C-alpha cells in the first residue's frame, strides 16, 4: 500500500546553506518528523552524510508500537526517539552523544511548536512547518552542541582531576608508608644498639664471673703454698737450732 507523503523542498542553495550551518557544529539532532500514522506531515534532515535519514525515518514509522508515550532505540550508531500524542508521532534521529534528556526536550519543544502552529491554522502550510522544524534542529545543534562540547571538556578535566587526586593520594599514602618504614628502621636500629650493649654487658659479667672464680682459686692455692712454706721453713729452722746446741752432759 502506497501512502502519499507530502514533503516540502527548499531551494537547493537554501538547503545546502542550512546543512552547512548544522555541519559546522556538533550534530546532535540529525533528523526529525511528525506523522499521523504513516502519513508524514512535516520532516527535515539536517545531516550532511550520504544516508537519507528522512527515508529511514519513514521506514521506522510503520514499526513503531503504539504503546508507551516516549521510547528510545539504538541502531546503527544512531538513537531513534519518538513521542506519541494521540494519533501523532514525533520522531527524531539523534547522535549517540546527544543523551536522552536533550532528545526528549527537543521532542517536547517540537510537539509544543507543532501544536501552537496547528491552533493558528499554519499546520496546513507545509513550508512554514518545515522551517519551524529546521530552526529548532539548528538551534539545538548550535546551543546544545556547544554546551555538550563544554560538558565534554569539563568531564575530561574532572576525570584528569580525579586521576591526579588518586595519584596524589597514592603518593601521600606511599609517603606515609615510607615514613612508617623509616620510623620502624630507626626503632630497629635503636633496639639493635640496645641489644648490642646488653649483650656486651652480659658477656662482661660472664667474663668477670669466670675470672673471679679463677682468682679465688689462685688465691687459695697461694695461701696454701704460703702456709706450707711457712710450716716447712719453721721445721727446718728448729732442726738447725737443735743441731747447734752443744752437749754439756759429759
Amino acid at each position: 500500500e502506497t501512502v502519499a507523503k507530502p514533503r516540502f523542498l527548499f531551494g537547493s542553495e537554501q538547503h545546502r546553506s542550512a546543512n552547512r550551518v548544522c555541519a559546522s557544529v556538533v550534530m546532535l539532532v540529525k533528523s526529525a518528523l511528525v506523522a499521523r500514522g504513516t502519513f508524514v506531515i512535516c520532516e527535515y534532515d539536517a545531516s550532511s552524510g550520504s544516508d537519507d535519514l528522512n527515508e529511514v525515518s519513514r521506514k521506522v514509522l510503520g514499526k513503531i508500537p503504539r504503546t508507551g508515550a516516549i521510547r528510545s532505540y539504538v541502531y546503527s550508531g544512531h538513537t531513534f526517539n519518538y513521542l506519541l500524542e494521540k494519533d501523532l508521532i514525533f520522531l527524531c534521529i539523534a547522535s549517540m552523544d546527544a543523551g536522552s534528556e536533550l532528545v526528549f526536550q527537543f521532542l517536547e519543544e517540537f510537539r509544543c511548536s507543532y501544536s501552537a502552529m496547528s491552533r493558528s491554522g499554519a499546520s496546513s502550510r507545509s513550508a512554514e512547518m518545515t522551517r519551524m522544524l529546521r530552526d529548532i534542529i539548528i538551534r539545538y545543534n548550535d546551543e546544545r552542541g556547544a554546551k555538550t562540547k563544554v560538558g565534554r571538556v569539563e568531564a575530561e578535566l574532572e576525570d584528569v582531576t580525579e586521576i591526579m587526586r588518586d595519584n596524589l593520594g597514592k603518593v601521600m599514602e606511599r609517603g606515609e608508608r615510607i615514613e612508617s618504614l623509616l620510623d620502624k628502621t630507626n626503632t630497629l636500629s635503636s633496639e639493635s644498639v640496645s641489644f648490642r650493649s646488653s649483650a656486651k654487658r652480659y658477656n662482661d659479667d660472664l667474663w668477670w664471673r669466670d675470672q673471679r672464680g679463677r682468682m679465688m682459686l689462685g688465691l687459695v692455692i697461694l695461701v696454701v703454698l704460703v702456709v706450707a712454706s711457712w710450716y716447712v721453713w719453721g721445721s727446718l729452722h728448729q732442726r738447725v737450732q737443735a743441731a747447734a746446741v752443744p752437749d754439756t752432759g759429759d
Side-chain angles (χ1 to χ4, degrees), residues 168-181:
L168 183 59
K170 290 180 180 179
V171 169
M172 293 179 65
E173 183 180 356
R174 191 178 299 124
E176 292 177 356
R177 290 179 180 177
I178 292 174
E179 290 181 358
S180 178
L181 288 175

Side-chain angles (χ1 to χ4, degrees), residues 121-180:
S123 60
S124 60
R125 296 189 291 273
S126 179
E128 293 183 16
M129 296 289 294
T130 306
R131 277 195 295 269
M132 174 271 296
L133 177 56
R134 180 201 63 183
D135 293 341
I136 295 176
I137 291 177
I138 292 176
R139 178 161 50 82
Y140 265 75
N141 284 332
D142 189 5
E143 297 176 359
R144 306 304 175 89
K147 291 181 180 178
T148 302
K149 285 184 177 179
V150 174
R152 286 179 182 173
V153 172
E154 290 179 348
E156 291 176 358
L157 288 176
E158 184 64 27
D159 291 340
V160 172
T161 303
E162 189 64 28
I163 292 173
M164 291 180 64
R165 288 176 181 171
D166 186 53
N167 291 337
L168 183 59
K170 290 180 180 179
V171 169
M172 293 179 65
E173 183 180 356
R174 191 178 299 124
E176 292 177 356
R177 290 179 180 177
I178 292 174
E179 290 181 358
S180 178

Side-chain angles (χ1 to χ4, degrees), residues 92-107:
C92 80
I93 300 177
S95 168
M96 295 286 290
D97 297 329
S100 59
E101 182 179 357
L102 182 143
V103 169
F104 290 124
Q105 284 179 359
F106 167 81
L107 287 174

Side-chain angles (χ1 to χ4, degrees), residues 4-244:
K5 304 177 182 62
R7 182 183 181 187
F8 179 81
L9 296 177
F10 292 105
S12 59
E13 289 299 325
Q14 187 176 5
H15 188 71
R16 284 196 296 269
S17 176
N19 281 343
R20 282 196 299 269
V21 171
C22 290
S24 63
V25 296
V26 177
M27 188 66 65
L28 298 178
V29 179
K30 299 186 176 184
S31 173
L33 62 79
V34 56
R36 182 173 282 107
T38 57
F39 182 82
V40 177
I41 301 172
C42 170
E43 62 184 356
Y44 183 76
D45 182 4
S47 65
S48 58
S50 58
D51 295 335
D52 187 355
L53 296 184
N54 282 339
E55 183 66 26
V56 175
S57 299
R58 287 193 294 273
K59 291 180 180 179
V60 170
L61 280 177
K63 300 178 181 180
I64 293 178
R66 298 302 187 267
T67 58
I70 299 176
R71 288 292 176 88
S72 180
Y73 299 97
V74 178
Y75 175 74
S76 186
H78 303 294
T79 60
F80 292 80
N81 315 272
Y82 66 87
L83 171 65
L84 299 179
E85 186 179 77
K86 297 180 181 179
D87 59 339
L88 294 175
I89 302 174
F90 297 88
L91 172 68
C92 80
I93 300 177
S95 168
M96 295 286 290
D97 297 329
S100 59
E101 182 179 357
L102 182 143
V103 169
F104 290 124
Q105 284 179 359
F106 167 81
L107 287 174
E108 182 62 25
E109 183 173 345
F110 182 21
R111 182 191 67 82
C112 293
S113 299
Y114 175 81
S115 300
M117 294 190 72
S118 297
R119 287 192 297 271
S120 65
S123 60
S124 60
R125 296 189 291 273
S126 179
E128 293 183 16
M129 296 289 294
T130 306
R131 277 195 295 269
M132 174 271 296
L133 177 56
R134 180 201 63 183
D135 293 341
I136 295 176
I137 291 177
I138 292 176
R139 178 161 50 82
Y140 265 75
N141 284 332
D142 189 5
E143 297 176 359
R144 306 304 175 89
K147 291 181 180 178
T148 302
K149 285 184 177 179
V150 174
R152 286 179 182 173
V153 172
E154 290 179 348
E156 291 176 358
L157 288 176
E158 184 64 27
D159 291 340
V160 172
T161 303
E162 189 64 28
I163 292 173
M164 291 180 64
R165 288 176 181 171
D166 186 53
N167 291 337
L168 183 59
K170 290 180 180 179
V171 169
M172 293 179 65
E173 183 180 356
R174 191 178 299 124
E176 292 177 356
R177 290 179 180 177
I178 292 174
E179 290 181 358
S180 178
L181 288 175
L182 290 175
D183 292 339
K184 290 180 179 179
T185 303
N186 293 331
T187 302
L188 288 175
S189 178
S190 300
E191 290 180 354
S192 64
V193 171
S194 177
F195 177 77
R196 285 197 297 269
S197 300
S198 300
K200 187 175 183 303
R201 284 196 300 270
Y202 180 73
N203 290 331
D204 290 343
D205 291 340
L206 289 178
W207 185 83
W208 278 113
R209 288 178 185 177
D210 184 58
Q211 295 301 322
R212 193 180 304 129
R214 291 181 181 182
M215 291 174 64
M216 292 295 293
L217 179 61
L219 183 61
V220 170
I221 293 173
L222 181 61
V223 170
V224 171
L225 289 175
V226 170
V227 171
S229 299
W230 181 263
Y231 177 76
V232 171
W233 185 82
S235 297
L236 290 174
H237 183 69
Q238 288 179 359
R239 287 180 184 179
V240 170
Q241 286 182 349

